[in-house]
Amino acid sequence: MDKKVTGIVGYLTWIGLIVAIFAGDKEGAKFHLNQSLAIWVAELVLVVISTITGFIPVVGFIISIVVGICQIVLAVFWVMGFISALKEEEKPLPIIGGIKILK
């Protein structure tokens, strides 16, 4: 896969991200793979927090609302990153754009 396809596949699903890392042009699409990985890790953290605090009556409800808002923000970031990969641009996402997981 070339740089553009690797970046696009990296955003599709977590399986697409794994395929893009191991079968694609990792060096050429490292920027988009990092951004996609940061989105997926943030989503995983939010799901774990929501699951753990879901059993607490009042605080759990408040945390679930905050987690829901954060998930909507991550969905918007995902769309922004996907469009950026389609255009072959390297625009860092707000808040999580500076996270470098892959070296």
Side-chain angles (χ1 to χ4, degrees):
M1 290 187 289
D2 66 343
K3 174 184 170 182
K4 181 178 181 178
V5 174
T6 303
I8 293 169
V9 169
Y11 281 105
L12 293 179
T13 63
W14 61 271
I15 295 171
L17 179 63
I18 293 170
V19 168
I21 289 173
F22 290 109
D25 180 11
K26 181 179 173 184
E27 290 304 314
K30 188 182 291 188
F31 177 81
H32 289 293
L33 294 177
N34 264 319
Q35 301 234 107
S36 177
L37 189 57
I39 291 171
W40 286 108
V41 168
E43 181 65 31
L44 180 65
V45 168
L46 289 175
V47 167
V48 168
I49 289 171
S50 179
T51 303
I52 291 172
T53 61
F55 300 106
I56 305 170
V58 176
V59 176
F61 176 72
I62 294 170
I63 291 175
S64 70
I65 291 173
V66 172
V67 166
I69 292 169
C70 291
Q71 287 176 324
I72 292 170
V73 169
L74 283 177
V76 170
F77 288 172
W78 180 88
V79 170
M80 291 170 60
F82 187 74
I83 290 172
S84 178
L86 286 173
K87 293 180 178 180
E88 294 187 68
E89 299 174 344
E90 292 189 359
K91 291 182 184 176
L93 296 172
I95 302 169
I96 62 173
I99 297 173
K100 303 289 184 228
I101 299 173
L102 298 174
K103 304 241 178 197

